[in-house]
Amino acid sequence: MKGLIIYKGKYGATRQYALWLGSMLGWPVIPAGSETAQQLADADCIILGSSIYIGKLQLRKWLKEHGDIIISKRLFLFLVSGTPSSDKEKLEGYLTTNISESLRSRCVPFFLPGKLEFNKLSWIDKLLLTIGSKLASDKTDDISMEDYNDVKKEHLEAIINAVRKLSEVAA
Ligand SMILES: Cc1cc2nc3c(=O)[nH]c(=O)nc-3n(C[C@H](O)[C@H](O)[C@H](O)COP(=O)(O)O)c2cc1C
């Protein structure tokens, strides 16, 4: 089975998970937009990775543009965010508001914890985060402004197991 990892993030959390997956599976890791049409065409299975900013997937536009090509592949999608994995409703909501139903039904989703270092954000992201957190209508919409870092290799166990299981079936 020919695999590919395509990701889009901003401050390194999504990239780190993508690189770990790439080295564990021996698959190429490519930032979204740098892949070639041939690489996409040749892949049987694609792991897509994206972080979330104010409810939007970084990979949203790329998914719209490439949906028709990738829909025929085996797809896994990992989302990196500040929302705790226990908040399933909010996390599932990110999928429904960002990805078409047809594509969503083809993706196996995984939700991974991210990291935040406020001082390293661009001024616009500092502003967005401050406004977003102030505007949060209730606690469930809240986006943390406190620094955190829960990017750990061990969070990839479930996705690695799922991909390996698929490879065994495909072999
Ligand atoms: C401006 C801003 C907006 C964010 N919005 C959300 C959000 O809507 N929901 C969420 O769960 N996390 C949100 N986050 C947290 C990011 O998803 C988290 O920091 C993630 O690790 C970023 O990954 P990256 O470095 O790969 O882009 C936000 C962070 C920033 C800086």
Side-chain angles (χ1 to χ4, degrees):
M1 191 174 71
K2 205 158 186 181
L4 192 61
I5 300 166
I6 297 211
Y7 72 94
K8 184 159 180 167
K10 269 189 168 182
Y11 296 98
T14 311
R15 180 169 178 271
Q16 177 63 80
Y17 281 125
L19 291 174
W20 278 330
L21 283 168
S23 72
M24 285 191 268
L25 295 166
W27 289 7
V29 181
I30 307 173
S34 301
E35 75 287 342
T36 63
Q38 195 60 52
Q39 280 173 313
L40 279 189
D42 288 349
D44 305 304
C45 177
I46 305 177
I47 302 179
L48 301 157
S50 176
S51 51
I52 296 170
Y53 286 81
I54 315 292
K56 283 209 173 147
L57 261 64
Q58 284 280 292
L59 207 56
R60 184 185 164 113
K61 190 160 167 265
W62 188 95
L63 289 173
K64 267 204 181 131
E65 288 169 359
H66 298 83
D68 290 349
I69 306 162
I70 63 170
I71 202 154
S72 58
K73 320 273 180 188
R74 306 304 298 250
L75 299 174
F76 295 88
L77 170 68
F78 68 89
L79 291 190
V80 183
S81 77
T83 302
S85 56
S86 57
D87 197 344
K88 287 270 178 284
E89 202 177 321
K90 189 169 170 187
L91 291 167
E92 296 284 346
Y94 290 141
L95 294 177
T96 45
T97 53
N98 282 278
I99 310 175
S100 69
E101 210 283 320
S102 52
L103 191 57
R104 217 165 57 234
S105 65
R106 305 278 309 165
C107 288
V108 184
F110 293 86
F111 302 107
L112 306 177
K115 65 174 174 150
L116 186 82
E117 256 181 288
F118 192 83
N119 282 334
K120 292 205 173 151
L121 299 178
S122 66
W123 70 267
I124 186 111
D125 280 340
K126 278 184 186 147
L127 185 67
L128 280 174
L129 195 62
T130 309
I131 294 171
S133 140
K134 290 235 179 344
L135 285 184
S137 53
D138 61 61
K139 264 295 165 218
T140 56
D141 284 336
D142 201 13
I143 305 169
S144 173
M145 279 182 60
E146 303 272 314
D147 283 8
Y148 55 86
N149 185 353
D150 199 17
V151 177
K152 294 188 186 120
K153 215 174 183 174
E154 68 207 46
H155 298 311
L156 293 172
E157 202 180 313
I159 186 165
I160 285 285
N161 287 341
V163 174
R164 290 210 170 122
K165 205 176 258 176
L166 178 67
S167 308
E168 282 163 23
V169 173

